[in-house]
Each structure stands twice: as structure tokens, then as C-alpha cells.
């Protein structure tokens, strides 16, 4: 096997994890072949076009192109490779378990070989998957393959930075020497390496995401209690976060978590526990709070507008968070369909996310100003920095009613009110009631 200075690496899956990992490993000097099953994705990558927006990725792919190959052919990524990274999707099944069919498909494509290679599991998988893979490799006589669980903690929008500056690198191996080989691969990166058994490594990933999701649902419930008791959740989170045992991160109340990881991983851990005979009650609540949180915006709009039938609502931001074009499990999608079901006219705007194939019945706007023109309310769904400008007079004057529901607590409530808007944040004191439900025109004196 080649030393860590220049290894041959095959990567299965050209999604966020596979592409960022592949590009970053190429930057470390390794020869990387990325394999995907989607011809259009491979063609685009060969032409130098990343299939999604991720800060820094396009440059990284371009700068390391001589060590990066893209292919549809599994053999190209496996024959001669020292390490084979599994970075395929593990989406939820209808029942909420992780669907491992793409992982098993990779195993089916591994060739017999005479020299040793290590299969590196980056995809998030249920605890126990490593054992099953080891059995499957043995059953096929693929005795030259080692197996290491090396879960991925990249967050979209900061994935390239997260790879080079991770909080930790988790390496769960069946054999000491396989673990050593993976640890050596990451040697240039300064971070604590957690060496452990395969099952524990698998659980570190699931438990970390479930814990972070729990923090979000917790602060969202605190926010909801703040709303009925008159406290401000932003102040509460600031005060809580200074306790070093709590910490300041992941305490931003909002309209619920989304994305490709949290919803699926929380559900997968809950199902994994259930399938093993343990009811993980806390996670049931975390999921339910998150679902309800997406819908609370509707109540806030109704508070100011009465029935929403015939009202025009601008949804500002569609991506599940800023700095990504990803719409997977985005709260915007649930919100848009709830508003349409109430009979509202829905306008949507996002600077990068393209929802034309997933949202129907809404009007797509190219600019924020277009989206809010004549609208009865604007809802900040994603914390895009440009939405901080929303309190400018041009937006207020364009709207039929100057009402902002800030699903991300992006704006300063006092500034928004001083600029003439009725403002509703999450877990913050409400504005007094503005325009009457039946009023056709904005009534500036009521929009405090
Ligand atoms: C997450 C994990 O952070 C990452 O380690 C894992 O590998 C994949 O899942 P990601 O989904 O990219 O990454 O985004 P993250 O920034 O963690 O946010 C997830 C969701 O939580 C977003 O919808 C975000 O808006 C929401 N969130 C986050 C909050 O509502 N409040 C917070 O305080 C933090």
C-alpha cells in the first residue's frame, strides 16, 4: 500500500461529502478517482462544474484537477486503489430507517484483488453496519479488504473549511493497522484523532447529530415559552451560552432544523433504538417539536392578517440554511405548502436555491423587491445576509402591509419597528396587532 504521502484513493459518491472529501484529499497530494452513477454529474464535473453551490469547492476542484478524475466506471475507482471511501447517500426509508441500498451496491462492485485495500465508511450508517459489511466481505471472499468507520462531520456551507479544520477525526477500526493507515492519511490535518471500535465510531456520528438537533428543538421550545411569558430568547440563549458546560453554539431559535443530515439521522437513531427494543422518547419529542416549529409561522401571520385566503405572502429564502443551495428537508417547503393550503398567494425568492422542480403553485421572484411588491407580509425563512436590508424604506413602501415575520431572528426588532414594520420574531416579544384582517390597505399608524 502506498504511504500516506501519496495514496491512490477511490471515492464512491460525488455528493457533498464525496466531492469535498475527494477534492481535499487531492489537495493533500493524493490521487483521487471519484465515481458516481449519474452520467450528467460526471460530465459536469469533467467540464469543471460542481453540481451544487459550496463555498470554495469549485476553486479546490480546479486547483487540484491533475490529481482528480471523475468516472462512471466502478473499476476505475477500485482497481489499484489503496483506500476506497464510501460517500454515498443513506436517505431515510418510508419507515425512517436509513436506506443502505447504495452502500450495498458499492460492496457488490468491489473486485477480487491480491493486494490489501481499506474500505472507509464516510456515509452515516446505523450502528452495526460495519459488522454486517465485514461479514458480507467475508462471504464474498474479499479477504484483502479492511474496514474503517470514519464518519463525516462536514456542515454544508463550510464543508471545505470543516475538512481542513475539524474538531476531531473519528477512526473506528477492526484492526489496529487499518486504523493507523487512516489516521496517517489525515496526518497533515491538526485535530484530535479519536481511535475506537467500529460500532462506537458509528454511534459518535448519530449521537452528535441527534444531540445538536436536540439543542435546536430545546431552544425552539424555550422560544415558544418566551413568547407567552414575555422573555426574549436571544437574550436567554446569550445568558445560557456563557455557561461553559452549555456553550454558545446551536442555540439559535428559528423555524426548525432541516437539511440532509439532522432530520434523517435523528430519525435513523430513533428507529435503530426502536428496532433494538428501546424507545428513545426524547428523540420522538425532538422530531415533533421540529415539525410543529415549521408551522408556527402560519399562526404568527394569522395573528396580523386574520384568514390568509387571498393574502400575498413573500417567503424570503428557501434553502434550509444560508450559504447553500440545498433544499432537502427545508422548512420553506413545508411552509409554502401550508400557506397554499390556507389559500394564500405565495411568492418565493432565494439567491441560489432553485425550487422550480419541487414547489408548484408559487410565484418565483428574481429579487427581494419583486417578492415583497404588494405583499401582505414578508417571512424571513433563510438567514441570507442580504435580507438584513429588508427594513429599508423601498421594501416597506413596496409592501401592501408592512409586516415581517422573522423566522431566523435576523433583524433587530427595535430597528424593524422604528422603520415602520410590524415585526414578529421567534421567541421575542410580538408587535402590537397591525392591519386588521379585512383591511385592504396598509394602515401605517397601526404598524408599530
Ligand atoms: C449538520 C452537522 O452540523 C454536520 O456535522 C453533519 O455532518 C451534517 O449535518 P448541516 O446540515 O450542513 O450539518 O447544517 P448545520 O449548520 O448543522 O444546520 C442544520 C440545521 O439546523 C439548519 O437547518 C440550521 O438552520 C438549523 N440550526 C442550526 C438552527 O435552527 N439553529 C442553530 O442554532 C443551528
Amino acid at each position: 500500500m502506498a504511504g500516506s504521502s501519496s495514496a491512490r484513493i477511490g471515492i464512491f459518491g460525488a455528493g457533498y461529502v464525496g466531492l469535498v472529501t475527494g477534492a481535499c484529499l487531492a489537495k493533500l497530494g493524493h490521487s483521487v478517482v471519484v465515481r458516481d452513477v449519474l452520467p450528467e454529474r460526471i460530465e459536469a464535473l469533467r467540464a469543471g462544474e460542481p453540481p451544487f453551490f459550496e463555498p470554495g469547492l469549485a476553486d479546490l476542484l480546479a486547483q487540484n484537477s491533475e490529481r482528480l478524475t471523475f468516472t462512471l466506471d466502478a473499476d476505475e475507482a477500485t482497481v489499484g486503489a489503496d483506500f476506497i471511501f464510501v460517500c454515498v447517500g443513506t436517505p431515510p426509508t418510508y419507515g425512517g430507517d436509513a436506506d443502505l441500498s447504495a452502500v450495498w451496491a458499492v460492496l457488490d462492485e468491489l473486485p477480487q484483488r491480491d493486494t490489501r485495500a481499506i474500505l472507509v465508511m464516510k456515509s452515516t450508517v446505523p450502528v452495526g453496519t460495519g459488522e454486517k459489511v465485514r461479514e458480507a466481505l467475508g462471504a464474498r471472499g474479499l479477504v484483502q479488504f479492511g474496514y474503517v468507520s470514519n464518519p463525516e462531520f462536514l456542515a454544508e456551507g463550510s464543508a471545505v473549511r470543516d475538512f481542513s479544520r475539524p474538531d476531531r477525526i473519528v477512526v473506528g477500526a477492526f484492526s489496529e493497522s487499518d486504523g493507523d493507515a487512516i489516521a496517517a492519511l489525515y496526518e497533515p490535518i491538526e485535530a484530535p484523532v479519536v481511535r475506537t471500535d467500529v460500532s462506537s465510531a458509528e454511534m459518535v456520528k448519530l449521537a452528535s447529530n441527534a444531540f445538536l438537533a436536540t439543542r435546536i428543538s430545546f431552544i425552539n421550545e424555550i422560544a415558544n415559552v418566551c413568547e407567552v411569558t414575555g422573555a426574549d430568547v436571544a437574550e436567554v440563549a446569550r445568558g445560557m451560552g456563557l455557561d461553559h458546560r452549555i456553550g454558545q453554539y446551536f442555540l439559535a431559535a428559528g423555524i426548525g432544523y432541516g437539511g440532509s443530515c439532522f432530520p434523517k439521522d435523528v430519525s435513523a437513531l430513533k428507529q435503530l433504538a426502536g428496532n433494538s427494543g428501546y424507545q428513545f422518547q426524547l428523540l420522538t419529542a425532538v422530531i415533533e417539536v421540529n415539525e410543529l416549529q415549521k408551522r408556527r409561522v402560519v399562526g404568527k401571520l394569522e395573528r396580523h392578517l386574520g384568514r390568509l385566503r387571498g393574502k400575498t405572502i413573500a417567503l424570503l429564502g428557501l434553502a434550509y440554511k444560508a450559504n447553500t443551495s440545498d433544499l432537502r428537508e427545508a422548512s420553506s417547503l413545508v411552509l409554502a405548502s401550508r400557506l397554499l393550503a390556507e389559500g394564500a398567494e405565495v411568492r418565493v425568492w432565494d439567491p441560489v436555491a432553485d425550487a422550480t422542480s419541487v414547489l408548484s403553485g408559487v410565484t418565483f421572484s428574481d429579487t427581494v423587491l419583486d417578492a415583497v411588491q404588494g405583499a401582505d407580509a414578508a417571512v424571513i425563512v433563510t438567514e441570507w445576509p442580504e435580507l438584513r436590508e429588508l427594513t429599508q424604506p423601498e421594501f416597506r413602501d413596496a409592501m401592501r402591509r408592512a409586516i415581517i415575520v422573522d423566522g431566523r431572528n435576523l433583524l433587530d426588532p427595535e430597528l424593524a419597528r422604528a422603520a415602520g414594520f410590524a415585526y414578529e420574531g421567534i421567541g421575542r416579544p410580538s408587535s402590537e396587532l397591525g392591519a386588521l384582517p379585512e383591511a385592504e390597505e396598509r394602515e401605517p399608524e397601526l404598524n408599530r
Side-chain angles (χ1 to χ4, degrees):
M1 188 177 300
S4 64
S5 53
S6 173
R8 286 162 301 176
I9 297 173
I11 297 207
F12 279 75
Y16 278 96
V17 174
L19 278 184
V20 172
T21 305
C24 290
L25 287 170
K27 189 180 176 202
L28 291 180
H30 305 296
S31 295
V32 177
V33 180
V34 182
R35 190 270 182 147
D36 204 285
V37 292
L38 299 174
E40 63 279 11
R41 181 161 289 207
I42 293 302
E43 271 162 38
L45 284 163
R46 283 177 177 156
E49 292 158 21
F52 45 77
F53 171 74
E54 178 63 36
L57 180 62
D59 287 347
L60 205 58
L61 292 172
Q63 286 154 10
N64 298 285
S65 58
E66 78 274 20
R67 285 182 302 283
L68 270 168
T69 315
F70 302 99
T71 183
L72 288 164
D73 180 0
D75 283 350
E76 256 188 75
T78 51
V79 177
D82 306 308
F83 301 95
I84 296 166
F85 279 68
V86 183
C87 302
V88 295
T90 52
T93 62
Y94 190 69
D97 299 281
D99 176 355
L100 296 184
S101 50
V103 171
W104 295 119
V106 173
L107 288 191
D108 289 343
E109 292 182 298
L110 294 181
Q112 296 289 345
R113 52 186 290 158
D114 305 327
T115 51
R116 192 155 175 81
I118 300 175
L119 201 58
V120 187
M121 185 60 71
K122 281 235 156 266
S123 302
T124 304
V125 293
V127 180
T129 302
E131 280 293 350
K132 289 183 186 155
V133 171
R134 182 156 74 155
E135 277 168 32
L137 290 171
R140 281 193 50 206
L142 295 170
V143 289
Q144 293 292 356
F145 283 93
Y147 182 91
V148 170
S149 166
N150 172 220
E152 191 44 77
F153 300 99
L154 306 176
E156 287 178 28
S158 59
V160 173
R161 189 193 62 206
D162 292 347
F163 185 95
S164 41
R165 299 216 314 265
D167 288 344
R168 78 298 207 191
I169 293 166
V170 176
V171 176
F174 291 118
S175 92
E176 195 70 13
S177 58
D178 286 349
D180 290 346
I182 300 303
L185 209 52
Y186 289 108
E187 220 159 55
I189 293 172
E190 234 177 89
V193 177
V194 180
R195 294 285 297 270
T196 181
D197 59 282
V198 171
S199 294
S200 301
E202 291 166 342
M203 185 58 104
V204 169
K205 169 69 192 229
L206 289 174
S208 298
N209 276 357
F211 184 76
L212 291 169
T214 302
R215 276 178 75 107
I216 297 171
S217 278
F218 180 84
I219 200 67
N220 281 339
E221 286 217 284
I222 293 290
N224 299 342
V225 179
C226 284
E227 284 176 13
V228 288
T229 54
D232 182 333
V233 73
E235 296 297 303
V236 176
R238 191 161 62 94
M240 286 170 64
L242 287 171
D243 184 325
H244 75 277
R245 295 166 303 176
I246 297 176
Q248 61 184 314
Y249 300 104
F250 277 73
L251 286 179
I255 52 170
Y257 59 79
S260 64
C261 287
F262 283 178
K264 135 179 120 65
D265 292 352
V266 176
S267 162
L269 181 52
K270 182 190 147 174
Q271 296 307 332
L272 174 72
N275 295 342
S276 318
Y278 181 77
Q279 301 306 317
F280 205 143
Q281 297 191 46
L282 186 57
L283 292 187
T284 304
V286 167
I287 294 165
E288 193 175 323
V289 168
N290 197 53
E291 285 311 309
L292 294 173
Q293 196 69 14
K294 298 176 193 174
R295 293 151 200 262
R296 283 177 62 87
V297 165
V298 176
K300 289 174 193 281
L301 289 168
E302 284 172 343
R303 181 169 178 270
H304 286 270
L305 296 171
R307 289 217 335 238
L308 298 180
R309 174 162 299 281
K311 304 283 174 8
T312 300
I313 311 296
L315 296 185
L316 305 177
L318 293 169
Y320 78 93
K321 64 173 187 177
N323 279 327
T324 176
S325 56
D326 202 333
L327 287 163
R328 284 178 287 180
E329 300 288 334
S331 299
S332 61
L333 304 181
V334 172
L335 198 50
S337 61
R338 279 289 299 114
L339 291 171
L340 290 171
E342 293 297 326
E345 190 197 313
V346 179
R347 307 249 192 84
V348 301
W349 166 87
D350 192 283
V352 288
D354 176 5
T356 46
S357 61
V358 283
L359 274 183
S360 56
V362 303
T363 305
F364 292 93
S365 306
D366 289 335
T367 64
V368 177
L369 194 57
D370 275 354
V372 302
Q373 192 74 46
D376 293 289
V379 181
I380 298 178
V381 184
T382 311
E383 67 282 22
W384 287 110
E386 48 266 62
L387 292 176
R388 290 184 198 279
E389 302 299 314
L390 197 59
T391 51
Q392 295 298 314
E394 57 172 331
F395 297 108
R396 188 196 57 225
D397 294 345
M399 293 177 72
R400 191 142 71 100
R401 293 183 173 89
I403 299 171
I404 295 175
V405 177
D406 183 355
R408 299 293 187 159
N409 289 344
L410 185 72
L411 305 181
D412 179 329
E414 294 314 315
L415 287 181
R417 288 179 187 129
F421 287 90
Y423 175 87
E424 293 270 351
I426 305 290
R428 299 169 137 183
S430 292
S431 281
E432 284 170 37
L433 285 185
L436 294 172
E438 60 278 12
E440 284 309 310
E441 296 301 325
R442 180 158 66 87
E443 297 175 33
E445 75 280 9
L446 291 175
N447 286 314
R448 282 185 285 148

